Amino acid sequence: QVQLVESGGGLVQAGGSLTISCVASGGTAYRYALGWIRQAPGKEREFVAITWSGGGRYYGDSVKGRFTISRDNAKNTVHLQMNSLKTEDTAVYYCAAGRFLGGFNYNDLSAYDYWGQGTQVTVSS
């Protein structure tokens, strides 16, 4: 069992930066890839970024070059640094964990085993 708790959401102006974090608890958290999925108002959930304890990092096309995911294995924490924010980045950001034993399709939301409650990120124009 893995529990995920997000923090750091808030309001930021377009062009600004914000970092959100997620703490994973549970003895097997190190076996899971930790990542971020977001859901904008009226839209489906969208893969943002994910990282493995061994260091692999992967990003959704809409955030490549602007967002950076990092992981502190000692603290079971994952951070998402978001730069050059756009109004279309406004969404609830969910921390999610998965082992992807069936394949590394990070866009497949059913492949994630655990989810946090989400943190709101609002980008104003």
Side-chain angles (χ1 to χ4, degrees), residues 27-99:
T28 60
Y30 70 95
R31 295 181 180 177
Y32 290 78
L34 298 179
W36 295 93
I37 306 294
R38 68 185 181 185
Q39 186 166 23
K43 295 188 177 181
E44 296 184 349
R45 291 191 180 189
E46 174 191 23
F47 167 70
V48 176
I50 198 164
T51 182
W52 291 86
S53 58
R57 304 177 187 182
Y58 304 91
Y59 297 91
D61 290 340
S62 62
V63 306
K64 283 180 182 177
R66 300 188 298 122
F67 290 11
T68 301
I69 191 169
S70 60
R71 181 169 179 160
D72 183 337
N73 290 327
K75 297 181 179 179
N76 278 338
T77 301
V78 62
H79 306 286
L80 185 69
Q81 172 153 6
M82 304 179 286
N83 297 326
S84 302
L85 282 160
K86 306 175 182 179
T87 55
E88 51 262 45
D89 293 317
T90 294
V92 177
Y93 283 70
Y94 296 93
C95 183
R99 295 188 67 186

Side-chain angles (χ1 to χ4, degrees), residues 103-121:
F104 302 112
N105 183 0
Y106 303 124
N107 294 301
D108 180 4
L109 302 185
S110 68
Y112 292 83
D113 300 297
Y114 301 101
W115 294 79
Q117 293 299 307
T119 187
Q120 177 71 46
V121 172

